[in-house]
Amino acid sequence: MTVPDSRAEQTWKGDVMPDYIRWLRDHVGHEPVQLNFAVACILEGDRVLLQRRGDDGSWGFPGGAVELGESAEEAVVREVSEETGLRVDVAGLLGVYTKYFHTYPNGDVAQPIATFFRCTPADGTLHSRDDETLDVRYFALTDTPPLMNQQHDDALADLRAGRSGTFH
């Protein structure tokens, strides 16, 4: 795989470019961009795992950016492990959520293109080990706190309704 400029080539590690968003933001600043995310809806019985974000304190589903060269499935497994301590099995696609905009606390603006997966916990110990995650906990699917944005609200509505393969 060829990378477009020499600075990117210096950060390239194999087939995946780590810190792709940082590299991109170094070039465009806070300007609006499209970003690809992989997000996990981790179900354990009638409970769903949510993450309290370190940047703004809001609740949402665990997940994060798909790094350049990585698949959405690989990204969701990696991100969940980093943010929660759990290894998950991807059970299927909940949906793809695309027509949204989000402004982050640091001023970055993005149209997040998010692939939400239904997942089940395989092993690991639940934790919030860094400043990216303040808390992780299970909530009854019918009694969750307010979520971080409309994209996560729509995914939660689809999850509660038992829908799969949706697109927004």
Side-chain angles (χ1 to χ4, degrees):
M1 187 178 298
T2 304
V3 180
D5 75 21
S6 61
R7 180 158 180 259
E9 288 175 23
Q10 293 170 6
T11 62
W12 194 257
K13 303 223 190 261
D15 292 332
V16 175
M17 182 180 182
D19 297 321
Y20 173 68
I21 292 177
R22 182 172 295 133
W23 175 84
L24 180 63
R25 286 297 178 190
D26 285 347
H27 288 77
V28 301
H30 297 301
E31 292 299 317
V33 296
Q34 287 183 328
L35 296 174
N36 293 299
F37 293 97
V39 185
C41 298
I42 303 167
L43 295 169
E44 192 172 74
D46 63 350
R47 301 180 316 146
V48 62
L49 185 68
L50 296 177
Q51 168 198 20
R52 190 163 183 202
R53 297 172 55 91
D55 60 357
D56 65 6
S58 65
W59 288 93
F61 294 102
V66 178
E67 299 291 357
L68 192 62
E70 185 177 44
S71 75
E73 182 181 14
E74 291 167 336
V76 78
V77 170
R78 175 184 52 75
E79 286 285 346
V80 168
S81 175
E82 290 172 4
E83 294 176 353
T84 72
L86 297 180
R87 187 178 64 76
V88 293
D89 291 328
V90 176
L93 177 69
L94 176 66
V96 179
Y97 301 78
T98 62
K99 196 166 181 173
Y100 304 84
F101 282 88
H102 188 77
T103 301
Y104 293 89
N106 68 356
D108 288 353
V109 179
Q111 179 183 3
I113 309 298
T115 304
F116 282 73
F117 293 98
R118 291 176 180 272
C119 298
T120 56
D123 61 31
T125 303
L126 201 57
H127 67 70
S128 53
R129 68 177 176 193
D130 60 26
D131 60 354
E132 192 173 332
T133 302
L134 299 177
D135 193 8
V136 285
R137 81 172 77 141
Y138 283 96
F139 291 88
L141 193 54
T142 57
D143 188 25
T144 60
L147 299 185
M148 64 182 282
N149 59 31
Q150 189 62 49
Q151 190 174 46
H152 283 238
D153 288 341
D154 289 349
L156 179 61
D158 288 339
L159 189 65
R160 285 176 174 160
R163 291 187 280 265
S164 292
T166 62
F167 48 93
H168 294 265

